Amino acid sequence: MIVTLKGWASRDAEAIERVEAVIREHELEVHEKRGTEYTVIAVIGVGDNVSACQIQLEAMDEVWKVQRISNPNKFVSRAYHTQNTAFPLNGHVLGGPEFIVMAGPCSIESEPQIMACAEVVADCGGHVLRGGAFKPRSSPYAFQGLGLDGLKLLRRAGDQFGLPVITEALAIEDLPLVEEWADIIQIGARNMQNFRLLEAVSRCKKPVMLKRGIASDVDEWLGSAEYIVRPGKTNVMLCERGIRTSDRTYTRNTLDIQAVPVLRELTHLPIIVDPSHAAGRRAYIPAMMRAAVAAGADGIIVEMHPDPPKAKSDGAQSLSFPEFRAAMTLLVPYLRLFAEERAVTLDPIVV
Amino acid sequence: MIVTLKGWASRDAEAIERVEAVIREHELEVHEKRGTEYTVIAVIGVGDNVSACQIQLEAMDEVWKVQRISNPNKFVSRAYHTQNTAFPLNGHVLGGPEFIVMAGPCSIESEPQIMACAEVVADCGGHVLRGGAFKPRSSPYAFQGLGLDGLKLLRRAGDQFGLPVITEALAIEDLPLVEEWADIIQIGARNMQNFRLLEAVSRCKKPVMLKRGIASDVDEWLGSAEYIVRPGKTNVMLCERGIRTSDRTYTRNTLDIQAVPVLRELTHLPIIVDPSHAAGRRAYIPAMMRAAVAAGADGIIVEMHPDPPKAKSDGAQSLSFPEFRAAMTLLVPYLRLFAEERAVTLDPIVV
Amino acid sequence: MIVTLKGWASRDAEAIERVEAVIREHELEVHEKRGTEYTVIAVIGVGDNVSACQIQLEAMDEVWKVQRISNPNKFVSRAYHTQNTAFPLNGHVLGGPEFIVMAGPCSIESEPQIMACAEVVADCGGHVLRGGAFKPRSSPYAFQGLGLDGLKLLRRAGDQFGLPVITEALAIEDLPLVEEWADIIQIGARNMQNFRLLEAVSRCKKPVMLKRGIASDVDEWLGSAEYIVRPGKTNVMLCERGIRTSDRTYTRNTLDIQAVPVLRELTHLPIIVDPSHAAGRRAYIPAMMRAAVAAGADGIIVEMHPDPPKAKSDGAQSLSFPEFRAAMTLLVPYLRLFAEERAVTLDPIVV
Amino acid sequence: MIVTLKGWASRDAEAIERVEAVIREHELEVHEKRGTEYTVIAVIGVGDNVSACQIQLEAMDEVWKVQRISNPNKFVSRAYHTQNTAFPLNGHVLGGPEFIVMAGPCSIESEPQIMACAEVVADCGGHVLRGGAFKPRSSPYAFQGLGLDGLKLLRRAGDQFGLPVITEALAIEDLPLVEEWADIIQIGARNMQNFRLLEAVSRCKKPVMLKRGIASDVDEWLGSAEYIVRPGKTNVMLCERGIRTSDRTYTRNTLDIQAVPVLRELTHLPIIVDPSHAAGRRAYIPAMMRAAVAAGADGIIVEMHPDPPKAKSDGAQSLSFPEFRAAMTLLVPYLRLFAEERAVTLDPIVV
């Protein structure tokens, strides 16, 4: 931790001593250096003492800024776990040599709808069936999902076509049902900092996919993942789904494709890309599915629907079946490249 | 609702007919107008049919964009409730002729701490005591609050110094306790789109303060408020607390002071400003307390602490007692101006 | 153009008449439709009258909002020029079946430096040599470029290795020199709305590459391109280089990879991606070079340097020669896929 | 300057030595500290060597990040010039005990228009007349200003009503004219990083107002100001005009009102607020005029027009004469408070 004093304090021996006394109280080492303008103090130590000391220093009048050097997230950081995390998924491996395609409707609406989706996903070589049973909606007047009935339909469709299924848990009370009926539990963007829910999902056995918050930075996202990952709970993946920026004219969000190599450097967890919520319009999705492969993600999650204009939610960003088939056909040569590179190294993208 | 067709569809009678058929299926009126480049269709009607039709149109290949004209939020919109909402609070009126000052520590830490805060708040003319018992923290290793013990201490401090108290409910399971022990229930920024929690708090009798999400736009914020406000539940206020922007060097967030007149135009609900979370550093807070009064808000909520460097959370943005006293002294003449103007009109700020 | 009246004006015949009188004064057609809450007026017509009328309507008290339907940018819009624009470049075609790689140092520093770069670019199959002679620097104390001497060195290096050269013109007074010595004129991000410079570069014969402004939206970017493109001046390309967002911790900017398919839909101009300025750190660049190919761009521009730590500018985002060679080797199979797809269609990415 | 090494380099004596050798080459002092996870090196020294060394370190493989502690902007920083800068303006003092009101039309359109504006500005107690002669427009088809004729009309109107005048110089070639005819030279938001223009305006004698770039952070803004301020050229003021954020629904920009106390802490230059460009809609401007006073700015610049719907630019954000008069009347008691506080201290707002 590096502490920079304010200009006046940098030249005031008593002020410096007040700051150093606080550091010593936390049983941390002090290394002071007076520069030409500012005095800087390096604080050496580990663990909770550092965090507690940081909070106190930040509030002192004498202090200009405090910069943490060591990583506060022990379980998700690559610094403590250098190997990539990969875990089995229905005969495939997430985070492994194969690029995983998850697809399905935004909301589960009926048995024929989810069955038709599952059939196309399986037929196109997809690996996981997605479908929402509990829906977070920004208006109270919008469709809120089929709930348990939806979960059961999703399960049936996945089983029939040999696909594991992923669905979102919106609240702690959904977790027992979602864990009973689904293979992967999704935590949505709006819940990325619903810390009680994160603690609860950490106690679930099934894999968890944590979406990035609407305007979260990478450190906050990893801080939220740290709530879930712990010894014995490492089957967690991160999902980039676009962040909110100042340009919202043609796309719903800005797909932060650079997050793929950034996360690869910072964490050992698998990385999924969701081009559907990033784009918000289906014309842009096929190109982004390919960009996700080329950027080195471990998989994608894509929305599709038998009849997008009839979808009860997210129709504008759901591929029709012909569109999904075309996009998957265009994806195939990229998946082949991906597999060839992963056969050589799991991380070909980091120089 | 205005529907603009894509270029090719604008010149294709069958494409236009497909779009209009969908509108008619929803029992809405169609008014088509062919421009020089694009065909535009005005859709006339009210209620849920319009929302359902909108989702379908947005997903049609023929459609370029769909713009909603009428307001989907009936309960919070000024269009349906032109008078400002105001409600009593311990002998004062929130949203009325008096500017309400809420203050207190970020977290309740001990009986002497909260008692000392309450005494200073009351002595400086503050109206409400704030204090967190359940804390949302971006790291799982940070202080998470005293819980029920904190609520009881807050209640005791408020009672002793004649101040109603406000505290955050972090999850549905906190609501019974918070409603039992506090006078105002706060929903925090990270929970602004925790829709289950919004539905649950709508069933509480006590007033609710809904903070703006970290990067929420005004329409999303009002959409969340619409989850809470309903006939019989109008004691709800909105709290601007800064939004995340690209400049995060010197302040934690960017205080969107313009949100005050914008909300005043769009909604009848009272508007509170939180300069502490916007600034993140206490040097900037007194100026922003004054700006909030001048901008026409109904109140502020400010963090203070007997010894900020010893605070377990948010010390950097908590005013010390001398700082809080000084800021309140500087605020007094502005409060006098405020009261004079509100005596003439409740909304002096909108031209 | 769609004009929505305010609530009160929507129900006031005289107010409506005042608005319609303004539209008629501009010799445009009026089509009024009264909805359940708002009156909406469709305005039909073309050309400058519409723009003039729009400004006036936006300032009327009666008007809530004005939405332009038709595209104000006639020369850059695909609506008026459906075929992709492509133009020859030293035996290659920009915007054609081949993906163009431009590379070189941020600043031209010396003859050995630029010669060494040119040799590696040519040897790796790059098509264009980049190098800055006039440098925009956010501090007045930073290296400002070699000026004319730099241009001459760049020319010599390009000629020796058979590469056309691109360099930035920082101001109108640079244009004659840049046009004399370079093959492509770059307009930088900070000058995207330097409208005088745009007008001046429009009169140059050489191709122009217009970078996106630091936080510009796509419409502003196309508006700036419209200053340059005109009959007889269509050799213009757009360069996405990352936009500023709220997450600046690990990358300098957020690469808006979705801008590639968005621009492809809106404009006929070629699209280049600059992963170096987006990332700001070289570890992330190779993955983004590949993502740019997969997303369907027409080329990339990448910074490299014989010894990045000795670079006078942008060393942190400049690939070393071994890094550049490795990144180009990894790129080759993606370029092959690109060429195969472009052989079938110039726009495989738009569904 | 604090240099943090990457994890692997922190534990590799040769890597550390390579970094320290670079620092010593620049004749700077090295102070190394090995933490539990990372090695951190404090670099002590002043001047250009530090900047040159920083660029080199940032590009080294061994280096994770480099943080500058000392301020690179010597002329604008309060660290080197603790007293507020104030300068005379037509019998008033900018940056002094009086709050300065600048007002006038966006564009000068005709003699009657600018005369009428000047009369109202003077009559309401305004101090400076604004008016644009050279206009930066995001579309090439929009009104571009009257040029020299406009400057002459502005001068005549100012002289007749005893008001100094401010107008924008769009390019270096405008400077001689603007300096001849105007009293204050404005550099617009889109030109904040047009460094050649900044260098040129630094050689002008007249005061300069530098607007904040569209999405510039405070450090970039001060870096641009550093291009202008130098010994003998200190009559420079900064103008906050709103920054671009993700919420653009109801306002054109987000007024960063916190920038007022932030700048007050960092720089000695006077601070102006432009609520017109921030809001983009006139309903919100009067409240923001007052907020600017309360926040402790030194002045405001506001757009007004005899007939906003007839304005050739920015009509939507121009106050009509009655609106401007009403806003000024509401401002008066705030100006009185301002004067009372400035009589005691020039910086009442910083705790």
Side-chain angles (χ1 to χ4, degrees), chain D residues 264-276:
Chain D
R264 192 66 79 204
E265 189 176 33
L266 297 173
T267 182
H268 52 88
L269 299 174
I271 305 158
I272 307 297
V273 169
D274 172 354
S276 305

Side-chain angles (χ1 to χ4, degrees), chain D residues 197-256:
Chain D
L197 180 59
L198 301 181
E199 286 167 349
V201 82
S202 175
R203 294 186 291 269
C204 293
K205 292 230 171 74
K206 295 275 176 76
V208 175
M209 183 174 86
L210 177 67
K211 289 192 135 188
R212 183 179 189 173
I214 284 164
S216 296
D217 60 34
V218 165
D219 284 336
E220 290 169 324
W221 192 10
L222 293 176
S224 287
E226 184 79 6
Y227 269 88
I228 307 175
V229 176
R230 52 177 177 71
K233 178 65 188 173
T234 57
N235 52 356
V236 176
M237 66 195 106
L238 301 167
C239 177
E240 160 64 31
R241 42 77 74 200
I243 52 171
R244 172 161 293 180
T245 71
S246 58
D247 194 357
R248 301 167 65 185
T249 318
Y250 297 102
T251 54
R252 188 170 167 181
N253 291 292
T254 299
L255 182 65
D256 181 10

Side-chain angles (χ1 to χ4, degrees), chain C residues 6 25 48 55-56 58-61 64 72-75 134 136-141 144 170-174 190-191 193-196 199 214-217 220 223-224 226-227 244 248 250 281-282 308-316 323, chain D residues 6 25 48 55-56 58-61 64 72-75 134 136-141 144 170-174 190-191 193-196 199 214-217 220 223-224 226-227 244 248 250 281-282 308-316 323:
Chain C
K6 286 184 184 159
E25 270 169 36
D48 294 352
I55 289 167
Q56 196 163 338
E58 281 172 344
M60 293 186 75
D61 272 339
W64 172 236
N73 300 317
K74 305 302 177 197
F75 294 123
F134 304 107
R137 304 306 300 275
S138 52
S139 165
Y141 308 118
Q144 310 271 336
L170 210 54
I172 295 174
E173 63 264 29
D174 299 344
R190 287 172 188 75
N191 273 326
Q193 295 198 314
N194 182 339
F195 302 114
R196 293 277 179 85
E199 286 167 350
I214 284 165
S216 296
D217 60 35
E220 290 169 325
S224 286
E226 185 80 6
Y227 269 88
R244 173 161 292 180
R248 301 167 64 184
Y250 298 102
R281 291 189 60 212
R282 57 189 189 272
K310 294 279 167 61
K312 291 195 174 165
S313 56
D314 279 357
E323 287 168 343
Chain D
K6 286 183 185 161
E25 269 168 36
D48 294 352
I55 289 168
Q56 197 164 337
E58 280 171 344
M60 292 185 76
D61 271 340
W64 173 235
N73 301 315
K74 305 301 179 199
F75 294 122
F134 304 108
R137 304 306 300 275
S138 53
S139 164
Y141 308 118
Q144 310 272 334
L170 210 53
I172 295 175
E173 64 263 28
D174 299 344
R190 287 172 188 75
N191 273 325
Q193 294 198 316
N194 182 338
F195 301 113
R196 295 276 179 84
E199 286 167 349
I214 284 164
S216 296
D217 60 34
E220 290 169 324
S224 287
E226 184 79 6
Y227 269 88
R244 172 161 293 180
R248 301 167 65 185
Y250 297 102
R281 292 190 58 213
R282 57 189 189 271
K310 293 280 166 60
K312 291 196 173 163
S313 57
D314 280 356
E323 287 167 344

Side-chain angles (χ1 to χ4, degrees), chain D residues 28-219:
Chain D
L28 300 166
E29 266 182 69
V30 165
H31 296 271
E32 175 194 323
K33 196 62 236 163
R34 302 199 186 187
T36 44
E37 295 169 32
Y38 296 97
T39 293
V40 165
I41 302 168
V43 179
I44 310 289
V46 274
D48 294 352
N49 276 9
V50 179
S51 296
C53 181
Q54 178 180 5
I55 289 168
Q56 197 164 337
L57 291 170
E58 280 171 344
M60 292 185 76
D61 271 340
E62 295 81 0
V63 172
W64 173 235
K65 54 185 166 187
V66 181
Q67 287 151 316
R68 190 73 179 263
I69 303 293
S70 63
N71 197 312
N73 301 315
K74 305 301 179 199
F75 294 122
V76 303
S77 169
R78 189 178 283 283
Y80 305 95
H81 187 105
T82 52
Q83 287 285 89
N84 277 354
T85 284
F87 44 88
L89 192 75
N90 191 42
H92 300 279
V93 175
L94 216 155
E98 204 175 355
F99 189 87
I100 300 295
V101 175
M102 315 191 196
C106 174
S107 299
I108 305 151
E109 297 170 1
S110 70
E111 179 153 6
Q113 177 240 23
I114 191 69
M115 284 293 173
C117 288
E119 182 176 11
V120 174
V121 171
D123 190 49
C124 291
H127 305 87
V128 178
L129 179 66
R130 66 150 286 155
F134 304 108
K135 299 303 302 174
R137 304 306 300 275
S138 53
S139 164
Y141 308 118
F143 176 64
Q144 310 272 334
L146 292 184
L148 175 57
D149 290 343
L151 288 179
K152 291 179 180 172
L153 292 176
L154 181 68
R155 177 80 270 158
R156 204 176 306 157
D159 287 349
Q160 178 148 345
F161 294 96
L163 298 168
V165 302
I166 180 171
T167 198
E168 179 170 355
L170 210 53
I172 295 175
E173 64 263 28
D174 299 344
L175 283 176
L177 283 176
V178 168
E179 189 156 42
E180 182 182 351
W181 293 95
D183 300 293
I184 309 176
I185 306 167
Q186 176 181 315
I187 302 296
R190 287 172 188 75
N191 273 325
M192 194 201 84
Q193 294 198 316
N194 182 338
F195 301 113
R196 295 276 179 84
L197 180 59
L198 301 181
E199 286 167 349
V201 82
S202 175
R203 294 186 291 269
C204 293
K205 292 230 171 74
K206 295 275 176 76
V208 175
M209 183 174 86
L210 177 67
K211 289 192 135 188
R212 183 179 189 173
I214 284 164
S216 296
D217 60 34
V218 165
D219 284 336

Side-chain angles (χ1 to χ4, degrees), chain A residues 21 23 32 35 53 71 74 100 114 150 175 216 250 265 298 320:
Chain A
I23 300 169
E32 174 194 324
C53 181
N71 197 311
K74 305 301 177 199
I100 299 296
I114 190 69
L175 284 175
S216 296
Y250 297 102
E265 190 177 32
D298 297 291
S320 69

